[in-house]
Amino acid sequence: TSNLAGASGSLVSGRLTLTPIRDGVRVTGDIGGLAPGSSHGFHVHETGDCSAADAASAGGHFNPTGSAHGKAGTPAHHAGDIDNVVADGNGVAHVNAHVSGVVLGGDPSRDILGRAFVVHAMPDDYRTQPSGASGTRVACGVISPLP
């Protein structure tokens, strides 16, 4: 699971559940406190540390292969690149994402357990290096095993 808490003074929060699937990890849950109809960059970041007020402690995108940033599912993208999340009319993004090529536990070069999810203020443009010009980090949550 990952419990997202606001960063950079935002009130964005949420809870995500991760489930291993055949070729990656399924991420489901809700992220609230967003502007209605807004789009936001959403990524797995390298470090499972959300202690900094601006979530900078989570580091950069999880990128064990040193790839260029891009849209998930394209040849060039970070392992932590996920499609933008979009808030509904109530400011809630209902997440149902497939993160391919990663695992929960096991191979350390692909393992996202203990890393962090970060929600950004702006949408990811999927082009700008190294992070898609998605702006300020507005929420962060460590990916943790169930108790």
Side-chain angles (χ1 to χ4, degrees):
T1 62
S2 181
N3 292 312
L4 298 165
S8 305
S10 86
L11 299 176
V12 176
S13 64
R15 180 170 171 83
L16 303 171
T17 301
L18 292 82
T19 307
I21 57 176
R22 180 177 46 85
D23 60 345
V25 173
R26 170 81 47 207
V27 181
T28 57
D30 293 327
I31 303 169
L34 303 165
S38 60
S39 294
H40 301 269
F42 177 56
H43 312 103
V44 176
H45 281 245
E46 185 68 33
T47 306
D49 180 356
C50 296
S51 63
D54 63 356
S57 51
H61 295 179
F62 179 50
N63 186 18
T65 61
S67 298
H69 175 70
K71 184 169 175 52
T74 63
H77 71 281
H78 300 152
D81 289 342
I82 306 171
D83 289 348
N84 290 328
V85 294
V86 180
D88 65 14
N90 295 315
V92 177
H94 305 287
V95 178
N96 184 2
H98 173 201
V99 186
S100 63
V102 300
V103 296
L104 291 172
D107 180 356
S109 69
R110 301 184 311 129
D111 188 7
I112 62 171
L113 194 61
R115 301 189 190 284
F117 282 116
V118 172
V119 179
H120 294 266
M122 306 295 294
D124 188 326
D125 67 10
Y126 306 120
R127 293 182 311 275
T128 304
Q129 301 302 319
S131 60
S134 48
T136 303
R137 299 168 187 210
V138 296
C140 184
V142 176
I143 301 168
S144 304
L146 288 172

